[in-house]
Amino acid sequence: MARIGVLALQGDFREHIHTLRALGAVAHPVRLPRELDGVDGLIIPGGESTVMGKLMVEYGLDQPVRDLIAVGTPTWGTCAGLILLSRATDNALAGQPLLAALDVRTRRNAFGPQRASFEADLPVPALGDPPFHAVFIRGPAVLSVGADVEVLARLENLRHTSESNESTGQGTIVAVRQGHLLGTAFHPEVTGDPRFHEYFLGMVRGARAEQQM
Ligand code: GLN
């Protein structure tokens, strides 16, 4: 059975743990570096990336998490977690720590205060039909992606402020995958639709199978 650690310094880690357990995975909160021992996958939840980043450094978790990612452990960031995983974020606070693992540039709070929270039915070809009901809570946008990054979903109606959008009208990128790294700008853990968690557990199974070969 897959063992998934969920970073539990701040934010909505409980909902992730709940969804993973409902799918039969073993999931536990991670607050200390030793709680990363033996995990097959890691989730960095939504919350506030500036606070979570600082706490990660304070708790001595930033380097262990980087090491875990470097050896190929599947890691999924949702919302603030996506910001933390990203190589760069346009409007990071001065000194905001990032894990800089996923080759994307994000913009925090990209959908503006008036759109701080909204929901949208998002076509996600990797998950099949029906569209995924996505809840955005002061979420980021992905402004650009590196060559190795696969775009999993775009928000077709451009709901964000004009300066946050560098796309060509194809929609704003809100879900990406780069090998063992997954990032979603929204919150699949709050909707009761487990398909993104299943998708992530599939990545974890794939990585374990590769290790055993
Ligand atoms: N706005 C938050 C940030 O910049 C993210 C919000 C969320 O995770 N729901 O970290």
Side-chain angles (χ1 to χ4, degrees):
M1 225 183 313
R3 281 169 35 95
I4 311 296
V6 182
L7 201 67
L9 299 174
Q10 193 256 341
D12 72 337
F13 54 90
R14 286 180 197 85
E15 289 80 355
H16 277 293
I17 291 175
H18 179 81
T19 310
L20 290 166
R21 288 182 179 162
L23 290 172
V26 176
H28 66 271
V30 171
R31 296 187 182 87
L32 301 169
R34 65 174 157 77
E35 289 164 337
L36 291 170
D37 290 349
V39 301
D40 301 306
L42 178 69
I43 293 181
I44 306 177
E48 178 51 52
S49 62
T50 52
V51 177
M52 217 186 299
K54 271 190 207 144
L55 290 175
M56 251 164 110
V57 173
E58 241 165 69
Y59 281 66
L61 275 163
D62 54 328
Q63 197 51 47
V65 168
R66 282 194 187 96
D67 294 345
L68 204 69
I69 291 172
V71 298
T73 310
T75 302
W76 175 17
T78 56
C79 205
L82 164 60
I83 296 168
L84 284 166
L85 273 185
S86 64
R87 174 176 58 72
T89 184
D90 245 23
N91 46 352
L93 291 192
Q96 175 176 354
L98 296 178
L99 294 164
L102 184 60
D103 191 11
V104 301
R105 200 156 59 81
T106 52
R107 173 181 290 253
R108 298 177 51 234
N109 306 328
F111 301 96
Q114 79 284 11
R115 295 281 189 186
S117 300
F118 63 95
E119 303 184 10
D121 286 321
L122 206 61
V124 185
L127 300 183
D129 282 331
F132 193 88
H133 190 71
V135 175
F136 290 81
I137 306 169
R138 293 183 62 74
V142 175
L143 299 183
S144 61
V145 301
D148 296 335
V149 178
E150 182 190 349
V151 173
L152 296 181
R154 292 175 191 266
L155 192 62
E156 287 306 330
N157 301 323
L158 304 180
R159 293 173 190 256
H160 45 73
T161 54
S162 56
E163 71 273 19
S164 74
N165 180 25
E166 292 178 2
S167 82
T168 54
Q170 292 175 297
T172 304
I173 298 170
V174 290
V176 291
R177 174 171 177 182
Q178 181 183 3
H180 64 296
L181 302 176
L182 180 65
T184 53
F186 47 91
H187 289 267
E189 69 284 7
V190 303
T191 45
D193 182 342
R195 284 180 294 162
F196 257 106
H197 290 79
E198 276 166 359
Y199 180 84
F200 180 65
L201 290 175
M203 288 170 58
V204 171
R205 275 193 301 276
R208 287 174 90 195
E210 248 172 55
Q211 270 170 9
Q212 281 158 11
M213 277 189 339

